[in-house]
């Protein structure tokens, strides 16, 4: 069987498992020593060839239909026994809390900004009424302090909202990537029905009598 293993991180590896169901309902699977993985005859670096040695000796009838089971497993980072990754409400709660805190800070900044305007208006009225510089200056200082507080709260609120949005998108994309890997490699095995025929394979790494077959794979 010649196949393309697909791209994977260096920490991951693919494993191909084969099995054959006989017409009577019995199943056979190759022993580890019966499988040999060799480069394909074409010499392609991307393709691989898995050879089930002495395969034909276990077939009682070449004209009978057989069912081939081909299972591809991604080893190293996918726990198929666990639940499918999901961006649950519990995982989203910190984002909602951070977003709410950012909105509260922006709202508080608007409150301080209004207080700044009121204090500055009082400062102008105090000067117009002829109050002393010390009396009028207290309103100006209040306006100045409220202005600083309004800017600090507003900038902090928007910064918190922006950071929370980036964090949310990052986690969402990360979980979607894990979902794709889970869906791709943790589904049911691909099944193929085939009819075996005798064939001569002089160009094979194991020349002699063999079989030829065509099958299509798909996930139920």
């Amino acid at each position: 069987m010649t196949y393309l293993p697909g791209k994977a991180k260096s920490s991951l590896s693919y494993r191909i498992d084969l099995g054959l169901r006989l017409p009577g309902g019995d199943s056979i699977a190759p022993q580890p020593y019966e499988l040999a993985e060799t480069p394909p005859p074409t010499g392609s670096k991307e393709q691989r060839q898995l050879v089930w040695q002495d395969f034909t000796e276990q077939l009682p009838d070449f004209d009978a239909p057989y069912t081939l089971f081909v299972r591809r497993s991604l080893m190293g980072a996918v726990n198929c026994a666990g639940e499918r990754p999901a961006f649950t409400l519990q995982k989203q709660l910190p984002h909602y809390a951070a977003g709410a805190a950012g909105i509260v800070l922006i709202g508080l900044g608007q409150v301080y900004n209004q207080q700044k305007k009121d204090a500055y208006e009082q400062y102008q009225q105090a000067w117009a009424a002829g109050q002393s510089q010390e009396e009028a200056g207290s309103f100006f200082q209040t306006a100045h302090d409220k202005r600083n507080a309004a800017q600090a709260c507003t900038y902090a609120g928007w910064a918190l909202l922006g950071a929370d949005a980036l964090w949310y998108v990052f986690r969402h994309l990360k979980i979607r990537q894990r979902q794709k890997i889970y869906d791709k490699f943790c589904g049911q095995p691909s099944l193929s029905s085939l009819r075996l025929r005798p064939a001569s394979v002089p160009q094979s790494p194991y020349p002699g009598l063999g079989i030829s077959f065509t099958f299509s794979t798909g996930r139920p």
Side-chain angles (χ1 to χ4, degrees):
M1 182 180 68
T2 302
Y3 66 97
L4 292 173
K7 296 181 179 180
K9 296 181 180 180
S10 57
S11 59
L12 307 179
S13 61
Y14 288 101
R15 188 182 71 186
I16 303 295
D17 296 319
L18 302 178
L20 192 70
R21 179 175 295 170
L22 303 179
D26 296 332
S27 298
I28 59 175
Q31 298 296 325
Y33 61 84
E34 293 179 322
L35 290 177
E37 190 167 8
T38 64
T42 57
S44 172
K45 295 182 180 180
E46 296 181 356
Q47 290 184 341
R48 297 179 185 178
Q49 188 176 70
L50 189 64
V51 179
W52 188 345
Q53 305 178 66
D54 300 326
F55 175 61
T56 57
E57 296 180 3
Q58 306 183 54
L59 303 181
D61 185 0
F62 280 143
D63 292 329
Y66 297 85
T67 301
L68 177 68
F69 295 87
V70 180
R71 179 173 183 175
R72 181 179 67 168
S73 304
L74 180 64
M75 311 301 294
V78 182
N79 181 18
C80 293
E83 296 182 356
R84 183 177 183 269
F87 202 10
T88 62
L89 177 61
Q90 184 178 1
K91 294 180 180 179
Q92 296 181 36
L93 285 178
H95 298 285
Y96 295 147
I103 293 175
V104 169
L105 285 173
I106 294 175
L108 188 59
Q110 295 301 312
V111 173
Y112 284 139
N113 188 59
Q114 184 60 46
Q115 292 178 350
K116 176 208 72 174
K117 294 180 180 179
D118 295 340
Y120 190 75
E121 185 177 351
Q122 289 178 325
Y123 165 71
Q124 291 179 320
Q125 292 176 356
W127 272 113
Q131 294 184 9
S132 64
Q133 182 177 359
E134 181 178 353
E135 294 175 343
S138 63
F139 294 114
F140 181 83
Q141 184 62 41
T142 298
H144 182 268
D145 294 341
K146 295 298 182 180
R147 174 179 174 272
N148 291 340
Q151 289 181 344
C153 289
T154 302
Y155 293 156
W158 281 114
L160 184 58
L161 283 178
D164 180 58
L166 290 176
W167 183 30
Y168 181 92
V169 171
F170 174 79
R171 293 188 66 194
H172 178 68
L173 294 178
K174 196 79 172 179
I175 291 178
R176 284 196 62 184
Q177 182 180 13
R178 291 168 55 194
Q179 287 176 338
K180 290 181 179 179
I181 294 177
Y182 186 93
D183 294 340
K184 185 175 183 179
F185 299 107
C186 295
Q188 299 179 8
S190 300
L191 303 179
S192 300
S193 296
L194 56 90
R195 183 174 295 275
L196 305 177
R197 299 179 183 277
S200 176
V201 284
Q203 297 180 352
S204 172
Y206 305 94
L209 179 64
I211 58 171
S212 65
F213 58 88
T214 302
F215 68 97
S216 60
T217 61
R219 200 173 297 279

